[in-house]
Amino acid sequence: MRRKAQVGSAITWLVAFLIIFFIIFLFVGFSIGLAGKKTLKGEKSKIGILEDKGSLFAVEQLVSILNTRVDYKNNKVTIDNLLQNFQTSLNEQEQNKMKEAFEKEIKNILDKTRTSTSPYYIFQIEYLKSIPDRKGSLGIITIANTKKILENWYKYMKIFYTKEQYNELEFAVESNKENLCGRGIFLNPQIKARLCLLKEKIEF
Amino acid sequence: MRGKKAGEKYLSVWWFFVLAVIAGGIVISVSIFSVADISVKGIEADILVTRFIDCAVENGYLKENFLGSFDVFKECGLNREIIDSDKYYLEYGVYDFDDEKKNIIPEKIYGVADFKEQCKIKEKLIQAKHYAECSEKKFYALGKDDKRYILYVIAGSNQQGGRK
C-alpha cells in the first residue's frame, strides 16, 4: 500500500512540476520581453521624446525662415509678408513670380542646414479649405520622397503641441517617432506652412 | 500514516526541486528586467541642442548679445559643473550664411571634446556601446539688419546611468 501511495505522489509531483516549470518559463519569457521594451518610445532600449512634449526646433526654424527677406519687385520683403498677401490681390503671373522668389530661398536655406542627424526635410505651404478656389498646395520643397508622404500626411503625423501665437501666426509641433515638424498657420489669410526635419526617409 | 517520518511530506526531493525552480525563475526574471540598459544619450544630446537654440534665438533672430558677451551657462540655465563633467559635450559656432567657411565668432567648446570624434566613429561602426552619442544641428538664424547666419551646434552625451 505504501509503495503504491509513493508512486502516486511522485506522478502528481511530476505533473505539478511540469506545470510550474511551464509557468516559470512564461514568467522569464515575459520578463525578457518587457526588459527589451524598457523604453518610453523609439528604438529598443532607447528613450525617445514623449508624445506630450517634443522639440520646438522645427518651429523655431520655421520662424527664422518666414522672417527672411527676399527680393521681390526691387524690394526686400519677408516670406511671411509674401505669403500673407499671396491670395489677396495678385494675378496668376505675379503669384508665380512670388512663389519662385520664396521657393528658391527656402530651398537654399534648407540645403545649407542639413546635417547627419536631420538629413531630410519637407517644407510645404498650402491653403486651408476656407479659401474658395484657392485651396491646395502652394509649394512643396523637399529632399525626401514626398508625394506619397503628403497624401498620407494627416494619418501619419500627430499634432501634440500648440505654441502661443506670434505675429498673426499660430504654431504647432507635429511628430512621429523622431521626425519633427513645425507647423504655422497664418490666421488671416489662412495659409499653412509646415517644416519637417526628418531623421529618416519615410516610406509608405 | 504510521511510520511516516515527520515533515517528509513537505521536504521531499520534489519539493526542493520545485522551490528551486520557482526561486530561480523569480531571481532570473527580476535580474533580466532590472539589468537591461536604457540609453538616454541620444535624447539628452538632442535636448541640449534644442535648449541651446531656444536660448540663443528669439523669434528667428539671434539674441542681441549672442555675438558678444554671451554666457551660455547663465543665458541657457545650464550647470557648468555638469557640462564640464566627463559626461557631456557642447560646441557651437556661428557662420556667415553666404560663406560657410567664414566664422563670425570663434567656436566655443565645453565638456569632453573627444566625444565629437567618438560620435563620428560610432556613425560608422555598428556597435560602440560605451561611446557618446551626439546630436548635430545647423540652425538658420537672422541677425541685426536681417543679416543671415548659420548657427552650428553639436552636443554629445555619454551618460551611462546605473546605480551608485
Side-chain angles (χ1 to χ4, degrees):
Chain A
M1 279 298 285
R2 191 158 177 248
R3 178 164 286 181
K4 273 186 184 176
Q6 278 179 335
V7 170
S9 167
I11 290 169
T12 309
W13 272 116
L14 186 68
V15 174
F17 170 73
L18 289 174
I19 293 167
I20 290 166
F21 189 80
F22 179 68
I23 291 167
I24 290 295
F25 183 77
L26 286 182
F27 181 54
V28 174
F30 277 122
S31 299
I32 293 169
L34 287 173
K37 287 174 186 167
K38 211 161 94 174
T39 172
L40 300 177
K41 202 181 174 193
E43 288 173 49
K44 188 180 169 184
S45 293
K46 278 196 169 186
I47 284 183
I49 295 169
L50 283 167
E51 281 188 25
D52 59 340
K53 292 181 181 171
S55 165
L56 291 173
F57 184 85
V59 167
E60 302 274 9
Q61 187 65 101
L62 182 62
V63 174
S64 302
I65 291 171
L66 294 176
N67 277 331
T68 300
R69 290 183 188 276
V70 293
D71 290 318
Y72 179 71
K73 287 185 176 177
N74 300 322
N75 283 319
K76 287 274 186 187
V77 189
T78 62
I79 293 175
D80 183 335
N81 277 331
L82 280 183
L83 287 173
Q84 292 198 53
N85 295 318
F86 191 80
Q87 57 95 40
T88 49
S89 57
L90 298 174
N91 61 40
E92 201 174 324
Q93 201 183 351
E94 284 176 319
Q95 281 184 355
N96 285 336
K97 273 186 187 175
M98 195 184 270
K99 194 178 158 186
E100 259 176 43
F102 66 69
E103 276 191 344
K104 191 182 162 192
E105 203 51 61
I106 292 168
K107 191 175 184 330
N108 186 25
I109 293 166
L110 292 174
D111 277 338
K112 284 190 175 183
T113 52
R114 287 168 64 197
T115 61
S116 57
T117 47
S118 53
Y120 304 107
Y121 62 74
I122 301 166
F123 191 98
Q124 182 201 10
I125 299 165
E126 63 175 319
Y127 290 112
L128 296 185
K129 288 176 184 173
S130 58
I131 301 171
D133 305 325
R134 292 279 174 82
K135 65 186 176 185
S137 186
L138 175 60
I140 303 164
I141 304 156
T142 175
I143 202 137
N145 51 341
T146 51
K147 276 194 175 174
K148 280 189 176 178
I149 290 174
L150 292 169
E151 283 168 15
N152 292 285
W153 195 260
Y154 301 103
K155 292 176 207 162
Y156 186 75
M157 284 293 185
K158 199 178 268 184
I159 300 169
F160 65 90
Y161 186 87
T162 304
K163 208 187 175 188
E164 73 268 27
Q165 290 177 11
Y166 157 73
N167 195 21
E168 292 291 307
L169 268 161
E170 189 181 277
F171 289 101
V173 175
E174 299 172 331
S175 170
N176 182 280
K177 289 186 179 176
E178 290 173 322
N179 299 312
L180 292 165
C181 299
R183 189 189 67 169
I185 300 175
F186 293 83
L187 301 176
N188 185 29
Q190 291 199 358
I191 292 175
K192 194 189 287 181
R194 174 186 282 121
L195 169 65
C196 297
L197 301 163
L198 310 175
K199 285 195 173 179
E200 61 202 16
K201 217 169 188 176
I202 304 169
E203 305 279 355
F204 283 98
Chain B
M1 287 297 284
R2 200 198 270 184
K4 196 164 198 171
K5 288 175 188 172
E8 187 184 350
K9 189 181 172 187
Y10 299 105
L11 297 173
S12 69
V13 177
W14 277 116
W15 252 115
F16 277 117
F17 197 61
V18 168
L19 285 175
V21 167
I22 294 169
I26 291 169
V27 169
I28 291 168
S29 300
V30 172
S31 343
I32 287 169
F33 189 75
S34 62
V35 165
D37 283 338
I38 286 185
S39 175
V40 294
K41 297 174 187 176
I43 197 71
E44 268 194 331
D46 240 2
I47 289 169
L48 195 53
V49 168
T50 308
R51 176 105 174 237
F52 174 79
I53 286 168
D54 206 31
C55 67
V57 180
E58 205 169 11
N59 293 335
Y61 288 85
L62 286 177
K63 278 190 179 166
E64 270 187 32
N65 63 343
F66 187 78
L67 299 176
S69 57
F70 186 80
D71 182 348
V72 65
F73 298 104
K74 195 178 159 192
E75 301 280 347
C76 302
L78 297 173
N79 187 325
R80 179 154 209 155
E81 278 177 25
I82 292 173
I83 299 293
D84 282 343
S85 68
D86 57 354
K87 288 175 186 165
Y88 299 98
Y89 168 66
L90 177 67
E91 177 187 332
Y92 70 89
V94 183
Y95 299 87
D96 192 305
F97 181 80
D98 299 311
D99 180 9
E100 281 187 74
K101 286 175 184 169
K102 184 182 169 189
N103 59 338
I104 307 298
I105 54 166
E107 284 162 358
K108 304 266 173 82
I109 297 170
Y110 306 95
V112 188
D114 192 38
F115 283 1
K116 195 176 179 179
E117 291 307 313
Q118 285 189 17
C119 292
K120 280 181 190 167
I121 294 167
K122 201 166 183 173
E123 267 178 31
K124 290 169 194 167
L125 291 173
I126 299 165
Q127 272 194 330
K129 200 179 169 185
H130 298 291
Y131 275 19
E133 280 184 32
C134 295
S135 175
E136 185 188 25
K137 295 261 197 283
K138 283 182 183 173
F139 189 86
Y140 167 75
L142 301 162
K144 272 183 186 173
D145 305 324
D146 290 309
K147 199 161 167 41
R148 307 190 304 167
Y149 300 106
I150 297 279
L151 178 56
Y152 172 77
V153 192
I154 179 165
S157 165
N158 200 7
Q159 176 81 275
Q160 296 288 357
R163 298 175 186 89
K164 284 187 179 177

